[in-house]
Each structure stands twice: as C-alpha cells, then as structure tokens.
Amino acid sequence: MSPAPRRRAALLAAALAAAGLTVLLSGPPAAAATCPTTASGGASVPFRTVEAECSATTGSAVGPDYTQASIASEASGRQAVRIGSGQYVEFTLPAAANSINVHYNIPDGSSGRLSVYVGGTKLGSGLSVTSRYSYVDTGFITGSKTHHFFDDARLLFGQNAAQGTKVRVQVDSGDVGQATIDLADFEQVGGAGAKPANALSVTDYGATANDSSDDTQAFRNGLSAARSQGKELFVPSGRFEIGSALQIDQTTVRGAGPWYTVLHGNNIFNNGGASGNIKLYDFAVFGDVTERNDGSPDNAFHGVLGNGSVVSGLWIQNTKCGLWLMSGASSNLTIENNRIQDTQADGVNFDGAVTNSALRNNYLRNNGDDGLALWSNGQADSGNTIANNTVVQPNLANGIALYGGSNNTVSGNLVQDTNALGGGYLVANRFSSVPLGGTVTLSNNTALRAGALDPNWQFGVGALWFDARDQAITGVTIRVTGFTAIQSPYEAIQFIDGNGAGKQIQGVTIDGVSVQGAGTFVAQSQTQGSVSISNLSASGVGVTGTYNCPYPSSIPKMTFGGSGNSGWTGTWSDCSTWPAPNSGPQQPPQSGSNIARGKAISSSSSQGGFPPGNANDGNADSYWESANNAFPQTLTVDLGAAASINKVTLKLPPSSAWGARTQTVTVSGSTDGGSYTTLVGSRGYAFDPASGNTASASFSATSQRFVRLTFTGNTGWPAGQVSEFEVAAS
C-alpha cells in the first residue's frame, strides 16, 4: 500500500515526545532473516500475521530446522527469533490494528511478561507469558518426544494504530529473561457487543465477572431460563469461571465478542445427548489444561450437538481439544469462523455419526494432534464438508484427516508446517474406522512445508497421503483435483499400508497438481494397487520422480496410470535404502515455471517490516521496499544454480489502495554473483491496479544463476517496491 501511514506514525512519535511522554529510541536492528514462503488459500481471518524473522530485530535467528523436538521445527516457517534482556522484535503493521496476539516460547518452568511498545511508546500493560502449557510429553504415543513448545498471549493496545506503525515486543528489566518469538497477529478489534433485545443476561442469574467465584450454577440457571422462555442467553464482557461442565440444548449463548467475553474452564460444555438447535456465538474459551489426558473430556465442547446447531466466532485456547463430537448423532451443523489454538490434542474431531455438516473458515494453530479430523468411529461420518480452513503447525498428527467415512469433501484449505507423526492431508482406513465409501472429494487444497520424517518408520510422510492400514482402500471413488504442494520436506504424495501387509489402494484419481519443491519424491508408493495421476507439474524435486517399492517386496508394485505429467521423471532403484532429502540431481524445471520463489534473495537496502524475502514468498500482498530517496537500489535473487531463463515478471500488491505508478528498472544476470551483464536495459514499467499491478520483460534465453533488478526511479514513491519477483524458466 502507499507508505504514507509510516510518515503519520513518525509524526505521532514526534508529538508524543513533545508532550513529555516516554518514546523509545531504537538502536540499529539486525538484518532480517530470509522470510519463509507463504501460500494463498484457507480461511479468511480478521487479523494479519507478521513473522518475527521478517521483522526488524536485535535478537538472534532460530532455525530454519525441521528436526523433531527442536523449537524451530514447531515455528511457522520453521524459523523464529530469540530475544534476551534489552532485545526486541519490531513489527511494522501491515494494516490498522488495535491489538496484538504473539505466538511465543519461553524456557521451561518460567513465566512473566514481555513489554510492548506502540509507535515508540511503552504500553502500561505488557503480555503475560508462561511455559505452563508448553513442553508436553505423551509417552503413550509411540515416537513422540517433548513437544508443544509455543503458546499465545494477546493484548488490546487501548488505542488505534495506523498501518505502518512500529510495534515492538521487547524484553525489559523485570520481564521474563528470554523469549523466542515466532509471529504476531494484528487485528482491528471492534467494540464489545451489546445484549440483544429480548435476550437474558447471565449476570441476572448471579454470574459475576473477573473474580474467582464459580459461575457454573448461574450459567445453569440462565440456560434453563433461556430455553424455557425461548430467548438467547447473553454473556457480557469479562472472565467467568466454569468449574464443572454445562449441558445445553435448544438454546443460544452469545458473548460480547471473543476479545471481551471469556469462559474459563477445561470443559465448558459436555452433552451426553441433545436434540440440537444449539447456537454458540462470539466468546472465548480459555482452559488450563497442561497435560494431555485422553481419559478426561477436557474440551471446550464435548459430546452431542444434535441437529442444526451452530458454533461461530469462538476463540478456544489451552483446552485438550476445541470440539470433540461423540456419544450420539449430530447433523446439519455449521462450525465456522472460529480460532482454535494451543490445544493439547485435536482442534475439531467428528468422532462418528456426524453427517451433512460444514467445517468452514476456521483458523487452527499449534494443535497437539490432528487439526481437523473426521473419524468414522463405529458409525460413518458422511456428507460433510471441510472448506476454506487454515491449519498451521499440528504437533503430532495431520492438518486434515479423513479416517473412513463416505461422501465427504475437503476443499479450499491450507495446511502449513506439519510435524512428526503425520502429514498434510490424510485419507485412510485407520483407527478401526468405518471404511471409506461413496465418493470422497479433495479439491483446490494447498500444503505448505507439509509432511515430516516419521520417527518410527524412519521415512518421510507426504503432504498428501493415503493409508490402507486397517483394510484395503477399495470400493470407493477418491478424486483429488487442484492440489498444490509447496516445499514438501519429503514426498508430495504417498500411498502406504501402515501395517506393512501390502493391502491394496484403488479408486484414487489425481488430476491437476502443482508440486513446487519436494525433498525426495513426487509420488511415493509402499504398497500395491492402481492409481491415476494426470496433469501433475513438478519443479524442484530433490531426489527423483517416483519411489515404487512395495512392502512386503513379494507383492506387485503400484500401477500408476494417467497422462499429461511433467517435471518428474525417474524412479528410485534401490528399495533397500532411503535417500536423504535433496540428495539427488535437481530435475529441470518446466518451461515457464517461476524458479525464483522461495530462493535466497537480497537487496541493497530495505525498510523495516518490508524485507527482500517478501518479494519471492508467493504472497502478492506482502512487498519489499528499499530505503527511501536513495536511488539506485537493487534486488537480487539467487536461483541456487545456473538455469536457462527468458522472462521476469514484477508485481505490486493488487489492492486498489495502491495508486498507479511507473518504476524504472534494469534487469541483469550473473553466473557467479560478481560480474553482471544486462539482460534488459533501463526502461519504465507501468503498474496499474486496474490491470493487476503486474509488469514483465522477456529476453532471449540465457543461463544465469543470479538475477538482479536495479531501480532508478518510481513515480509513486521514492523507493524500489516489489511484491513478487518472478523468473521464468525457458
């Protein structure tokens, strides 16, 4: 966007200083680390996330590291920033905000606070932080190690901060001694909601906010009255203590908003049975679950929702699970627009007999098991849709998992940074589930850095995988279309019988897939059967195209059908060994593919919060900006090896808030990073939001490793600006 708000922030800081208020004077920050690649898709959320490693800091980089039980492995992008006394991470607001939510880690056994500065002025209240919910051990799960290192802490600023304002998280004297900062979410939170007309207030039944008294009975009385009178039960701002579980049916509970109304307890609702029409809106549930105990229902909601119920606008944190639906049939549910984070186990689990229901537009992070799971336990989950959700960093399992069930759809989701004992998306006959049946559809889903080394099997798990562990996957139609796998640590797609008995996998059709980086293989099969893969385009394959080694070795290999594939030739020949990721010759990229995304990138300068890594992260809404009023400026991408190229494409954010502008740029190339030759001479490139804010330049095919842009002018702002710098393979 137009950088004008940064000028307003500077003027605000000057005004505060003139008024005699304490204004933070900053020393020079360390250079920002390489920003992780981002991906589109998933949930539409009310906040903007900024990675610590993409921000100004005087701390030290942590990661990237994919090793199980390392702190970096559980960070978004597998990197974070560690700060100690006097050190900080300084975020630049990408949009106006009045709140911050920080994803952090502190040493085991510690607690305290972190100081927060907005526009250079320290807020009176900082972020309360604790390791109480971290460093979890689950010895009953084979292969698990100490995990769940991060937690979240949130704070309202008490003021509105404009886009471009600097928000600093710092370790001051008296604060916790050390913290590792992964990211911060910034949100413009609206005012607290008012009691709807004709609603009952729980405070009229004796509930008292912000004290230590148990409000359970007051809530029970309020729920009973609301149901008998056919009215909503309103819960105003404040924290209410729920010491024992509530039962609910045919009733609506509405809060003042998840930043204002907090129900505090480990198991707020527990239904052994319900007819339905339960509506839960706009409040937070904060638990105090410090260890995972699968014999205890420590879930925000546990049990039956019945027919036609809605759960919307909840913020759930520090419980065992967000919602665990079991003990009876639930149907026609809508579970949407929720934020479920830092749970000890699943985010949401449909534990059998849930039908024709929608899980949509939810955001999940740091869940201790599957983010979203349909487990057809005893009775099939059928006719359900999991759509447009984001799952980040599930610790011990998958982002999204289908365990059996029929006619379920998974569409438009984003799963990111999965860890050991799982992958990105799983379709399986597993955990004694009712077998897969009917038509199972996966469409337009994205996996980013999904998959991991399994500590038990000692081979990689895929970004998308199919497991015939309990019984063969047959008699079902499974259709996968529009799947994108980006920077998979191991294979992109996997077929396996997890019990090693070689059961068949049939009926899987995969069509229209983009694999943008895979540590080992595009397709890895360890069982028999017949599947079809068509129109799969791959680049950046770390070993070779296919692994096809069934276990036991006496059974036939998987038969791969399909057509229209490119970028992934070759089959691994030694079934007695597993290659290390990225240990094979890189396969040539497909002509026209962008080979600059996610590669090392540097610049002659950058504004804090707008580092060069923003220019090839795949996210057109983030951007690099050079120092102002200091032309010429350069932006250089290292392709990692010499490659034949013939085109560069430059983008600015597509938002209409960006005015049209012309940037004067020279395109150069180099084979060694020292001596550059001109590929396209200096010329003006017009960027117009009406036509996508995109410009490109073609040139004769040439082999180059480094591609440099040199900026000497910009009619819209006195700096070089790029949101995406793409280099096309010829």
Side-chain angles (χ1 to χ4, degrees):
M1 300 210 171
S2 171
R6 288 200 294 277
R7 296 201 301 272
R8 293 196 293 271
L11 292 171
L12 174 61
L16 290 169
L21 299 177
T22 300
V23 178
L24 187 66
L25 299 177
S26 60
T34 301
C35 292
T37 297
T38 60
S40 58
S44 175
V45 295
F47 55 87
R48 297 282 295 273
T49 297
V50 183
E51 298 279 351
E53 63 269 26
C54 300
S55 304
T57 183
T58 53
S60 56
V62 177
D65 189 353
Y66 288 76
T67 306
Q68 184 184 9
S70 68
I71 289 176
S73 73
E74 289 193 14
S76 169
R78 316 303 176 111
Q79 349 178 28
V81 174
R82 181 166 293 132
I83 54 176
S85 180
Q87 295 180 319
Y88 63 81
V89 175
E90 186 173 79
F91 302 95
T92 300
L93 291 186
N98 60 2
S99 69
I100 184 173
N101 179 66
V102 173
H103 197 53
Y104 70 91
N105 160 270
I106 59 176
D108 195 11
S110 60
S111 62
R113 61 168 265 165
L114 289 168
S115 295
V116 177
Y117 296 78
V118 177
T121 301
K122 184 174 181 177
L123 300 184
S125 57
L127 290 162
S128 295
V129 293
T130 179
S131 67
R132 179 174 175 81
Y133 308 107
S134 306
Y135 301 92
V136 175
D137 291 298
T138 51
F140 56 90
I141 299 176
T142 304
S144 69
K145 299 179 180 179
T146 302
H147 62 281
H148 209 61
F149 296 117
F150 285 87
D151 197 23
D152 284 82
R154 65 183 191 174
L155 178 69
L156 289 167
F157 294 158
Q159 59 182 282
N160 294 323
Q163 177 193 9
T165 300
K166 308 296 184 183
V167 178
R168 181 176 292 191
V169 177
Q170 180 165 304
V171 177
D172 282 346
S173 176
D175 288 353
V176 67
Q178 174 184 293
T180 300
I181 307 300
D182 180 17
L183 54 81
D185 302 323
F186 295 100
E187 181 178 352
Q188 185 68 39
V189 180
K195 182 171 76 72
N198 206 35
L200 306 178
S201 175
V202 73
T203 57
D204 292 337
Y205 296 88
T208 55
N210 304 319
D211 59 20
S212 59
S213 63
D214 191 334
D215 299 297
T216 304
Q217 191 57 50
F219 271 75
R220 285 178 178 152
N221 293 341
L223 288 168
S224 177
R227 181 176 182 182
S228 66
Q229 297 178 42
K231 297 181 178 180
E232 291 189 6
L233 182 66
F234 178 70
V235 187
S237 297
R239 171 167 150 162
F240 297 86
E241 304 295 329
I242 309 298
S244 56
L246 306 170
Q247 289 72 50
I248 184 171
D249 196 13
Q250 298 290 331
T251 307
T252 296
V253 176
R254 188 182 302 274
W259 279 88
Y260 299 105
T261 299
V262 177
L263 306 188
H264 183 244
N266 291 346
N267 180 204
I268 303 300
F269 298 100
N270 194 325
N271 274 359
S275 59
N277 196 32
I278 299 165
K279 308 292 176 66
L280 305 176
Y281 295 118
D282 303 331
F283 58 86
V285 172
F286 277 69
D288 189 33
V289 180
T290 60
E291 298 290 341
R292 175 173 172 172
N293 177 2
D294 285 354
S296 181
D298 298 326
N299 312 316
F301 186 97
H302 183 91
V304 183
L305 276 169
N307 181 60
S309 295
V310 177
V311 179
S312 179
L314 270 57
W315 179 318
I316 300 173
Q317 184 170 324
N318 299 139
T319 57
K320 185 178 73 173
C321 299
L323 289 83
W324 190 282
L325 304 187
M326 62 176 294
S327 301
S330 294
S331 60
N332 299 300
L333 310 177
T334 301
I335 299 174
E336 63 182 1
N337 306 328
N338 302 293
R339 202 176 318 191
I340 304 174
Q341 56 193 27
D342 309 322
T343 59
Q344 297 288 346
D346 300 51
V348 179
N349 192 303
F350 286 2
D351 182 1
V354 180
T355 59
N356 302 318
S357 296
L359 270 166
R360 64 191 184 209
N361 206 60
N362 301 286
Y363 182 90
L364 302 98
R365 185 168 65 209
N366 192 36
N367 307 108
D369 209 293
D370 294 316
L372 299 171
L374 306 188
W375 179 23
S376 293
N377 183 20
Q379 298 182 66
D381 293 321
S382 180
N384 301 299
T385 299
I386 301 176
N388 304 116
N389 303 281
T390 297
V391 182
V392 182
Q393 273 291 353
N395 299 159
L396 289 182
N398 306 281
I400 296 175
L402 303 182
Y403 300 112
S406 60
N407 301 313
N408 295 305
T409 297
V410 179
S411 178
N413 301 282
L414 170 63
V415 171
Q416 174 183 327
D417 292 307
T418 66
N419 254 295
L421 298 173
Y425 299 82
L426 170 62
V427 180
N429 285 333
R430 197 171 175 186
F431 297 123
S432 303
S433 59
V434 175
L436 292 158
T439 298
V440 176
T441 302
L442 289 84
S443 63
N444 302 316
N445 297 292
T446 299
L448 174 61
R449 294 181 296 270
L453 178 69
D454 187 277
N456 302 312
W457 293 332
Q458 287 299 304
F459 52 70
V461 175
L464 168 64
W465 62 304
F466 302 85
D467 187 359
R469 174 174 296 214
D470 289 349
Q471 54 189 291
I473 297 178
T474 57
V476 57
T477 299
I478 301 174
R479 295 174 178 160
V480 180
T481 58
F483 179 61
T484 301
I486 303 169
Q487 296 179 1
S488 304
Y490 290 86
E491 73 275 19
I493 303 171
Q494 179 185 19
F495 305 91
I496 190 172
D497 167 2
N499 274 332
K503 292 185 284 294
Q504 291 211 9
I505 296 178
Q506 302 277 4
V508 178
T509 301
I510 299 173
D511 191 3
V513 175
S514 175
V515 174
Q516 301 168 25
T520 53
F521 314 107
V522 171
Q524 174 177 309
S525 179
Q526 296 156 268
T527 192
Q528 62 180 316
S530 177
V531 299
S532 174
I533 302 178
S534 297
N535 301 311
L536 189 156
S537 131
S539 61
V541 179
V543 177
T544 193
T546 305
Y547 176 100
N548 195 356
C549 298
Y551 187 88
S553 59
S554 58
I555 65 174
K557 292 184 176 182
M558 177 68 72
T559 299
F560 288 103
S563 61
N565 299 308
S566 61
W568 55 295
T569 58
T571 299
W572 183 249
S573 59
D574 184 1
C575 290
S576 66
T577 63
W578 286 101
N582 302 306
S583 59
Q586 289 289 316
Q587 300 199 18
Q590 183 181 7
S591 177
S593 63
N594 174 23
I595 58 175
R597 180 170 175 173
K599 299 296 177 61
I601 190 167
S602 60
S603 61
S604 53
S605 68
S606 64
Q607 291 285 345
F610 303 93
N614 285 0
N616 68 339
D617 61 0
N619 180 7
D621 290 321
S622 67
Y623 64 97
W624 161 78
E625 181 176 304
S626 73
N628 294 179
N629 300 300
F631 290 121
Q633 295 289 332
T634 62
L635 181 65
T636 306
V637 64
D638 178 359
L639 301 177
S644 181
I645 60 174
N646 64 358
K647 183 180 180 180
V648 296
T649 299
L650 308 182
K651 298 179 180 179
L652 289 176
S655 168
S656 59
W658 281 72
R661 66 199 65 202
T662 297
Q663 299 194 73
T664 305
V665 183
T666 300
V667 183
S668 305
S670 172
T671 57
D672 59 7
S675 175
Y676 283 81
T677 58
T678 299
L679 304 180
V680 182
S682 178
R683 52 173 268 200
Y685 293 85
F687 296 86
D688 187 345
S691 55
N693 258 350
T694 299
S696 62
S698 298
F699 43 86
S700 298
T702 177
S703 180
Q704 306 289 341
R705 173 172 172 173
F706 300 86
V707 183
R708 172 171 290 174
L709 307 175
T710 302
F711 295 79
T712 55
N714 183 343
T715 61
W717 190 256
Q721 296 173 312
V722 177
S723 69
E724 284 302 303
F725 176 11
E726 298 179 353
V727 179
S730 59

